[in-house]
Amino acid sequence: MGRKSGICLMMILFLGLSGCSNRVIDGQQVNKEEKIVIKFSHVVEENTPKGLAAIRFAQLIEERSRGSIEVQVFPNSQLFKDGEEFEALSRGDVQMIAPATSKMSQLFPQWQIWDLPYLFSDLESVHQIMDGPLGKTLLEQLEEKNMRGLAMWDNGFKHLTNNIHPIIKLSDLKGLRFRVMSPGILQEQFLNFGANATILPFNDVYEALREGSVEGQENTVSNIYTKKFSEVQKYLTLSQHGFMGYAVIVNADFWDQLPSQARELIEKTMSEVTLWERETAKELDQEQLEEIKKAKVINIYSLTPQEKMIWRKDFSSVYTKFEKENGSEFLNEVKKWSEEME
Ligand code: LMR
């Protein structure tokens, strides 16, 4: 029996969906060769929205498939750094990844929509786009590169940290060296104000900040807290200037050869975990900010609503860059959808 038909038979048996058999086999009995293994690689710590959701997804799938599908989670760039993940997925070295939305934009420039500073005022407008037709359009683009998008997850809004001085106005960025995730919009945010913006993989950021090759970075509370950036940074500006979420992606060839029952189970579980992940992201964002405050190792400045409005206006050239490269139609549609939320 070939591998695919073996897997099909096994799925039919354990899910009892065939109509010709309702026998449910014990996970222990699953032949190792027939087991579906999904290696899920990511770059953050476990105690983060993505880290915890990956574990939860793995547990639920294991339970619900009675051990016939095993999701092996590799956090913290254990297997691949960002930058290497896409290739690893396309080679089939891993079957699932969840890169930051900003990293998606290297392959799909329209994904930079998530990077536009102050485009989304709250998580509700983010979800409105993610779960609506525009989010669907973005996920469908993945097919061009033989990938399939299963979900979009949250991390949260980004803030700025640095080692030199408090950042209250965008002109305070001048002369500083920042780490960014990707080229394009993210780099433009800094270059525009006379700062330097170097692209580095997430796993290298702590060391680069510590030894001073970069002086600052932008990230969510969760990443700042779990990667201990506050230990090697003096100033945190709570700016909420940009959103960072994730695309949960599988290799399309791998996906297509799965039995339909396995795909259904994965999709259903992923939708459930996505709701849980978004709630968890919101909670962790608050809890971990409290922990950073409690530790008193970094000076914190929180931008006022008026200051945020000024930053938004000062960032207008970043929007012009996006429109020049991606046309204004997509941006206008996103604005229309998120304004409907307000
Ligand atoms: C970063 O590189 O700063 C983040 O994208 C890491 C992550 O996956 O949250």
Side-chain angles (χ1 to χ4, degrees), residues 43-44 50 82 98-100 103 155 179 181 200-202 205 217-220 223 229 244 246:
V43 299
V44 292
K50 176 163 63 179
D82 43 36
K103 290 167 192 166
N155 187 317
R179 175 266 175 171
M181 286 180 266
L200 285 178
F202 185 56
V205 181
Q217 61 89 46
E218 53 165 5
N219 230 310
T220 57
N223 284 342
F229 292 160
M244 190 178 81
Y246 302 108

Side-chain angles (χ1 to χ4, degrees), residues 268-331:
K268 190 173 161 289
T269 306
M270 183 57 75
S271 308
E272 233 177 274
V273 171
T274 297
L275 295 178
W276 182 89
E277 195 273 349
R278 291 177 183 175
E279 277 306 305
T280 304
K282 211 155 70 181
E283 283 163 22
L284 283 186
D285 193 63
Q286 286 164 11
E287 284 167 24
Q288 295 181 333
L289 179 59
E290 284 316 307
E291 292 300 320
I292 294 176
K293 286 181 179 167
K294 252 200 282 176
K296 293 198 167 101
V297 290
I298 190 163
N299 291 294
I300 303 179
Y301 181 78
S302 193
L303 289 188
T304 64
Q306 289 79 4
E307 283 164 340
K308 284 184 188 162
M309 268 165 65
I310 297 172
W311 279 40
R312 165 78 169 88
K313 216 157 98 293
D314 289 351
F315 270 131
S316 63
S317 62
V318 176
Y319 280 71
T320 312
K321 181 176 168 65
F322 180 88
E323 286 184 278
K324 229 192 244 162
E325 288 168 12
N326 297 287
S328 41
E329 202 183 320
F330 189 63
L331 176 59

